[in-house]
Amino acid sequence: MELTCTGAGSRLILKLEQFNPTGSTKVRMAREMILAAERSGALKPGGRIVEPTSGNTGTGLALVAIERGYRFLAVVDGHASKDKLRAMRAMGAELIMVGDSGEGPSTVERRRVAGEIARDTGAFWPDQHHNPSNNAGYAGLADELLADLATDVDYLVGAVGTGGTLCGTVRTLRERGSSVTSIGVEPKGSIIFGGPGGKYWQTGAGAGAGFPVGPNVRHDLIDEGVTVSDMDAFTTARVVARRTGLLVGGTAGAAIFFALKRLALVEPGSTMVALVCDAGEKYLDTIYDDAWLMERGLLNEPAHQRLHRLLAAFEESQRLAAIDHARTGT
Ligand SMILES: Cc1ncc(COP(=O)(O)O)c(C=O)c1O
């Protein structure tokens, strides 16, 4: 979906991954990791799977467990979207809750508990942060982009958690001859690109202080790593919803925020793609809820107005370019 374009012909395209089964991009890698484990013998028929998750990997694994006859145990924290937790339960997953729900994501603790369960029970732990099949699961995403756009992707902007979505897509794009420039986005307060740790409310992307960032974050495949604050991420998601009727998740809001800021600066005629990892319907109780935002000091009307003005400026630049074309006949 084209969100906007500039008068100089640069387009910002959203890749809407929420239309995958389970409503997120992560089902791609969940299936890839399980199929690889079957092939290697790490997962036996009827076996048990355990994974720490903020919810989207979990719903993906819950679906693949149903399809292929496994039991799935998700290690989660209270930071996860309630709807993702409900969805996993509805799909028959067992949930173990760790950490303090009032604080930021308990990525370190979730990982410790999952490791313990795998060790003690023999359950198969796909370990999305270290499993190469995570990144490999996005080959199809890259191919869809090239087929649907019928042109190269000049810039790819995506939120980074395990790194799988962005790095897996970039790897395949480059294998297919793309000269894509990749931009990884993490929440402000996440430590993946070297910034100081702090609290953040974007879920799915980022890593808290002390988290051992795994090799699926391929720094050789990420040309630029940037941080986006919760306020900018959530404001962007809300303004996109207002202007288009499309509800995107918070990490997609972060990617779109940065993409919009960069769009005016790139070479004329560029194709920029922002990855929308999941849909806003999973966050109606959080980023689309004024009271929830207000409690956290994240509801900011001037920030909303700034975003509206930025999008209006792109529209104005298209209008001026059209007048110019009509006048000069180009
Ligand atoms: C909503 C959301 N955004 C972004 C990401 C980050 O994706 P990746 O782990 O592939 O880097 C995830 C991962 O779970 C997610 O759930």
Side-chain angles (χ1 to χ4, degrees), residues 47-321:
R48 198 163 183 228
I49 303 163
V50 62
E51 181 73 31
T53 169
S54 67
N56 281 333
T57 299
T59 46
L61 285 170
L63 173 63
V64 180
I66 292 169
E67 287 173 350
R68 307 189 70 80
Y70 302 110
R71 285 175 303 151
F72 172 53
L73 194 160
V75 183
V76 298
D77 60 40
H79 193 69
S81 136
K82 300 257 176 316
D83 284 331
K84 290 181 193 171
L85 301 182
R86 288 187 203 117
M88 279 190 278
R89 262 197 213 99
M91 293 163 82
E94 201 183 320
L95 263 55
I96 292 199
M97 182 73 73
V98 302
D100 174 2
S101 61
E103 285 304 314
S106 306
T107 43
V108 178
E109 181 62 3
R110 280 195 326 228
R111 199 172 161 76
R112 189 189 66 73
V113 171
E116 225 169 67
I117 292 170
R119 216 172 30 249
D120 295 349
T121 68
F124 169 63
W125 177 15
D127 195 354
Q128 55 176 332
H129 288 273
H130 292 82
N131 190 329
S133 297
N134 172 357
N135 297 35
Y138 295 98
L141 199 169
D143 286 333
E144 285 167 27
L145 282 176
L146 293 174
D148 291 350
L149 292 171
T151 178
D152 196 7
V153 179
D154 299 309
Y155 294 89
L156 183 68
V157 187
V160 175
T162 65
T165 317
L166 182 69
C167 300
T169 306
V170 168
R171 188 180 71 183
T172 303
L173 284 173
R174 291 192 178 148
E175 280 169 6
R176 307 281 188 263
S178 168
S179 48
V180 65
T181 295
S182 62
I183 302 170
V185 178
E186 67 175 333
K188 189 160 181 232
S190 158
I191 50 90
I192 295 172
F193 299 127
K199 192 166 151 178
Y200 56 86
W201 291 99
Q202 292 166 66
T203 65
F211 188 83
V213 178
N216 285 337
V217 176
R218 292 267 311 266
H219 291 281
D220 58 320
L221 293 175
I222 302 175
D223 296 308
E224 196 178 344
V226 301
T227 61
V228 171
S229 70
D230 288 337
M231 190 188 290
D232 287 333
F234 300 159
T235 299
T236 304
R238 291 160 61 97
V239 169
V240 168
R242 283 286 171 89
R243 295 180 81 96
T244 66
L246 178 80
L247 275 68
V248 302
T251 63
I256 296 168
F257 175 80
F258 192 81
L260 284 170
K261 284 210 320 190
R262 184 53 63 84
L263 189 67
L265 306 177
V266 296
E267 312 77 46
S270 295
T271 299
M272 183 179 287
V273 173
L275 296 172
V276 174
C277 282
D278 67 1
E281 280 81 354
K282 296 184 180 193
Y283 307 93
L284 293 174
D285 291 337
T286 56
I287 70 176
Y288 292 99
D289 184 87
D290 288 3
W292 186 91
L293 285 180
M294 230 167 333
E295 273 166 33
R296 290 159 183 79
L298 296 172
L299 189 63
N300 183 300
E301 188 51 31
H304 281 68
Q305 291 312 322
R306 273 198 300 277
L307 238 295
H308 277 296
R309 279 199 300 275
L310 181 58
L311 284 160
F314 285 127
E315 284 162 12
E316 180 63 5
S317 84
Q318 290 161 37
R319 197 182 65 80
L320 293 174

